Amino acid sequence: MTFAATTRAASQLDTARPGEAELADSSAAALLIADGCLVDAPLGRVGLEMEAHCHDPADPNRRPSWDEIRAVIDAMPALPCRSAVTVEPGGAVELSGPPVDGVLAAIEAMGRDQAVLRAAFADAGLGLVFLGADPLRPPRRINPGNRYLAMEQFFATSRSGEAGASMMTSTASIQVNLDAGPQDGWAARVRLAHALGPTMIAIAANSPMLGGEFTGWVSTRQRVWGQMDSARCGPVLGASGDDPGTDWARYALKAPVMLVNNPEAVAVTQWVPFADWADGRVLLGGRKPTVSDLEYHLTTLFPPVRPRQWLEIRYLDSLPDSCWPAVVFTLVCLLDDPVAADVAAEAVEPVATAWDVAARLGLGDRRLHAAATRCVATAAEKAPAGLTEAMQRLLRRVELGRCPADDFSEQVIEHGIAAAVSRAARSQGGL
C-alpha cells in the first residue's frame, strides 16, 4: 500500500519524502489510515492468490528444503498470465495473479498459471497439496527471509506462540481481491464481506487435520487463525460498520507492533499498540514511527477482511480444482452482483458472527447449511456457461451438507494419512 501525500494529514508530513516523515501523533496516523484504506472505483476487477503445501510424494513426512523449492521456481518458464510466485514461511507455494476484469477471466488465468506451476513441481519430483492446513508435518519455517525470522520471534514470545507457528508454516488459503467499489456503498460492502465469512468458511472448509491428527474441526486453518490475537487477526468491523475507514484506523492503532525496520525487521517482544508508539509513550528503535513504519505495520495485520485500497477476502481454505472455481465465483457474485448481494445479506444475517461454529461444524450446523444453500443457489443462477457444471456440482454438495474436508477425511480413513497426502501431491488437480 502506498499512501498519497495529498491526504488530510499532509500538512504534518515532509511531502518531499513522505515515507521518511515522522508521524506527529496517533491522530495523524488515523487520518492516513482512514484516507488510504479504500479507493473509490467501479466494481469489476478480481485478483486471486492461491497457496498450496509443497510435499515430496515419495516421502510425504519430509518438508522439501528452501533450496529445492527455489530451484524449481527459478527454472520455471514464464507464467502465461503473469502470476507472481512466492514461498511462504513453511514452504507453501503461492501464486498471486494480477487483477483482471471479471471473475471468469480471473479464474481462467489462475487455472492456466497453476497448470504450469504444478507441472514444474511434478517434473522435479515434488507435488502441491491444496488443503487449508498441512495434515501431516509439524510446523517448521524454511523461508530464511528476515521478516519471517522476526515474525517467528514475535510469536514465540507472545500469547499466540503455538498458533503463530502453525499459522506461518502450516496453513494455506485462497485470497480473493476485489475493488472497493463506489464510496457510497463501502459500508454495506464491507459489512457483507464480513457477514459472508462464516457461511463461506463452511462451504470451503478443507482442513480437518493438523500435525497428523484429526482435530474435530472441518476448517482447522480457521481454528488456528481464531486462536491468534484478535487485535491482529480478528474481524475489523466496528460496532456500527458505518465507516470502514474509521474502523480500520481504530483497529490498526490498537494492534500491537510486531516488527520494526532498523533497517532489517526486528521483532518487538513487548506489547506496544501502534498508537502508543505514534504518541511517543514508547520509543521503538529509539525513535517515533514514520509513515513507512505505519505502512509496514499494516502489512502485519491479518484480519479476515483487510482493506488495502481494495478488499482482501482472506477466510477461504486452499481448495483443489474440483471446487475452487465455483467457490470463488460464489463469493465474488454475492459481493459484486447487487441482486445477489441483497439475497446474501438476508441469508447470512443469522450466522454473520458464527466464525468458530463454521470452522468446527461447517455445513453440519443447521443455520449455516440453510444460509449456504441459499447463497450457492443464488450464485448458480448467475453462473456463466463456463462455470454452470461446476456451480451445479457445488450446489449439490452443499445441499447434501458436504464440504471438501469430507473428501480428504474419507481418503485418510480408507488409505491412511501418508498415502492420502502422497496421492494429493501426485494429483494434477490438487486432490
Side-chain angles (χ1 to χ4, degrees):
M1 177 184 291
T2 301
F3 291 113
T6 54
T7 65
R8 289 175 285 166
S11 61
Q12 302 182 44
L13 302 179
D14 174 1
T15 56
R17 306 179 76 178
E20 298 178 16
E22 182 180 282
L23 292 167
D25 53 27
S26 60
S27 295
L31 289 175
L32 283 170
I33 296 167
D35 280 359
C37 72
L38 296 173
V39 172
D40 190 349
L43 298 177
R45 292 185 305 164
V46 179
L48 301 178
E49 301 179 27
M50 301 191 65
E51 299 170 343
H53 306 283
C54 182
H55 279 270
D56 179 349
D59 184 3
N61 288 282
R62 183 178 78 85
R63 190 179 294 270
S65 70
W66 171 255
D67 289 341
E68 284 180 89
I69 295 172
R70 283 306 323 175
V72 176
I73 294 171
D74 292 344
M76 279 176 49
L79 295 179
C81 298
R82 301 181 295 110
S83 292
V85 186
T86 54
V87 182
E88 295 298 300
V93 180
E94 179 176 19
L95 278 184
S96 300
V100 297
D101 291 332
V103 62
L104 186 59
I107 289 169
E108 291 174 346
M110 180 56 64
R112 292 179 64 193
D113 284 354
Q114 265 197 344
V116 175
L117 184 75
R118 282 198 297 254
F121 275 83
D123 289 345
L126 298 175
L128 299 177
V129 176
F130 294 84
L131 288 165
D134 185 331
L136 188 57
R137 302 171 299 194
R140 184 165 71 85
R141 179 180 59 86
I142 66 163
N143 187 322
N146 182 265
R147 172 182 167 95
Y148 295 133
L149 171 61
M151 287 178 66
E152 185 176 68
Q153 293 169 342
F154 172 88
F155 286 125
T157 58
S158 75
R159 293 168 293 182
S160 303
E162 184 177 346
S166 294
M167 179 275 286
M168 288 180 63
T169 66
S170 300
T171 62
S173 68
I174 299 174
Q175 182 172 298
V176 181
N177 302 314
L178 301 175
D179 286 314
Q183 186 170 358
D184 61 3
W186 285 352
R189 185 165 172 77
V190 171
R191 281 197 298 269
L192 180 56
H194 281 83
L196 280 167
T199 298
M200 293 304 305
I201 287 168
I203 292 169
N206 191 35
S207 46
M209 303 187 72
L210 185 68
E213 297 181 348
F214 284 104
T215 64
W217 296 59
V218 291
S219 179
T220 302
R221 182 202 57 80
Q222 180 60 31
R223 180 195 184 193
V224 167
W225 282 94
Q227 292 171 330
M228 301 287 290
D229 172 23
S230 61
R232 183 178 308 280
C233 300
V236 172
L237 201 64
S240 70
D242 290 336
D243 186 351
T246 298
D247 287 343
W248 180 227
R250 183 183 298 112
Y251 183 101
L253 291 174
K254 287 183 178 180
V257 181
M258 173 186 278
L259 311 173
V260 174
N261 282 321
N262 275 328
E264 294 289 340
V266 177
V268 177
T269 56
Q270 69 268 38
W271 184 279
V272 180
F274 192 90
D276 286 1
W277 190 19
D279 288 332
R281 286 188 286 271
V282 178
L283 298 182
L284 299 176
R287 58 180 176 80
K288 289 185 65 178
T290 64
V291 174
S292 292
D293 289 319
L294 176 58
E295 292 180 339
Y296 194 67
H297 173 64
L298 296 181
T299 72
T300 69
L301 307 180
F302 310 112
V305 179
R306 182 165 67 171
R308 296 195 65 189
Q309 301 184 359
W310 59 94
L311 290 182
E312 289 182 350
I313 314 297
R314 303 169 52 86
Y315 43 61
L316 297 177
D317 279 6
S318 180
L319 294 166
D321 283 358
S322 60
C323 54
W324 76 257
V327 170
V328 166
F329 177 81
T330 298
L331 177 59
V332 176
C333 177
L334 297 177
L335 282 166
D336 280 9
D337 183 282
V339 175
D342 287 344
V343 173
E346 179 182 326
V348 303
E349 193 276 333
V351 290
T353 60
W355 298 88
D356 283 351
V357 175
R360 184 164 52 89
L361 300 179
L363 298 175
D365 178 81
R366 175 182 54 81
R367 297 186 306 161
L368 284 163
H369 181 260
T373 302
R374 188 174 180 194
C375 283
V376 175
T378 298
E381 292 175 355
K382 298 178 178 294
L387 285 174
T388 300
E389 183 179 346
M391 286 301 303
Q392 289 302 316
R393 186 166 59 247
L394 178 63
L395 179 57
R396 288 193 296 271
R397 288 175 60 87
V398 168
E399 288 173 340
L400 292 171
R402 287 184 64 86
C403 63
D406 296 322
D407 296 335
F408 184 72
S409 296
E410 289 172 358
Q411 289 291 317
V412 171
I413 292 167
E414 182 175 357
H415 302 291
I417 182 172
V421 172
S422 291
R423 177 176 177 172
R426 289 190 175 95
S427 170
Q428 288 296 294
L431 273 181

